[in-house]
Amino acid sequence: LYFVLTGIPGLELKYYWMAFPLGAIYVIALFGNGVIISTIKSELSLHIPMYYFLCMLALADTGLALCTMPSMLGIFWFNYKSIAFDACLVQMYFIHTFSAIESGVLVAMAFDRVVAIWKPLRYGTILTNSVVCRTGAVIWTRAICVVFPVPFLIKRLPFYRSNILS
């Protein structure tokens, strides 16, 4: 079972040129997140909860970029017009998992700021490295477990309509 990808109807002649800004955004996203991750990892003064959460956010954003942009660039540059149903489900799983991870990390970052504002003197004792690691593990586990059954449930559905996706 395959899905036919139509891209953006009416702009088929401009696909090649549209791919350049998308490719540039893809490279900038990967480079920027790589710089954030490597800076936080190498600079000891940034080893505090706020920057750990920022590093988690950069990792989730990198994962999201890695699972979306290659197929878009494949459509625009190499004129790939189909995707296997299982590949579509895998891509859907990773897109939704990384999106759930990003939302969970943003909530954790908001909680970090609340603690820093309301309890500034106890900030270091409330948000220790072990608490941050457990929070990250809970965020990742929640995202994986919530999205995990979705591809299996979708695979059970019959697709009688057109398999053309724009």
Side-chain angles (χ1 to χ4, degrees), residues 8 76 94 149:
I8 303 171
F76 289 143
F94 282 112

Side-chain angles (χ1 to χ4, degrees), residues 13-94:
L13 298 176
K14 296 182 176 31
Y15 280 174
Y16 191 73
W17 297 107
M18 288 170 47
F20 283 115
L22 285 173
I25 291 170
Y26 179 62
V27 170
I28 289 169
L30 291 178
F31 179 73
N33 288 322
V35 167
I36 290 171
I37 293 167
S38 63
T39 302
I40 292 171
K41 185 178 178 184
S42 64
E43 185 63 38
L44 293 177
S45 66
L46 300 180
H47 288 188
I48 59 174
M50 180 179 66
Y51 292 109
Y52 288 144
F53 289 132
L54 184 62
C55 187
M56 288 183 218
L57 189 64
L59 284 170
D61 191 44
T62 300
L64 192 60
L66 286 174
C67 67
T68 56
M69 288 303 286
S71 60
M72 287 176 41
L73 292 177
I75 291 170
F76 289 143
W77 272 344
F78 305 113
N79 205 21
Y80 289 145
K81 291 291 184 184
S82 64
I83 185 170
F85 181 66
D86 291 333
C88 185
L89 287 179
V90 167
Q91 186 175 14
M92 180 202 68
Y93 171 77
F94 282 112

